Amino acid sequence: LNITIYNINGQKIKTLFAGNQKAGINKIVWQGFNSKNEKVDSGIYFCVLETGDRKIVRKLTLIK
């Protein structure tokens, strides 16, 4: 399982999770920081959840 945040230009901002996860309901929160722990600007971002055979993309709007 990989959960990654990308900006509107397709650049990777941060990997929130990479590894195995137990089945069921799980919670991961993105606080608006990039991989260098710097706050990112307000705007449109994409959250990509990838498993072995599936890819789910959701649009996020970050408002400060």
Side-chain angles (χ1 to χ4, degrees):
L1 173 68
N2 288 314
I3 302 174
T4 309
I5 303 293
Y6 293 90
N7 67 13
I8 195 83
N9 297 321
Q11 298 164 317
K12 186 185 342 183
I13 300 300
K14 185 169 188 164
T15 299
L16 298 179
F17 185 84
N20 295 321
Q21 187 76 311
K22 291 183 181 181
I25 298 172
N26 297 285
K27 182 178 179 179
I28 295 175
V29 177
W30 178 47
Q31 298 291 338
F33 290 92
N34 64 17
S35 59
K36 298 176 185 176
N37 268 345
E38 302 166 335
K39 276 219 175 244
V40 298
D41 294 331
S42 296
I44 304 293
Y45 294 88
F46 295 95
C47 179
V48 179
L49 183 143
E50 295 177 278
T51 64
D53 59 344
R54 293 186 72 184
K55 186 176 195 177
I56 300 170
V57 180
R58 295 290 185 257
K59 184 170 75 170
L60 309 172
T61 302
L62 179 65
I63 302 171
K64 292 183 179 182

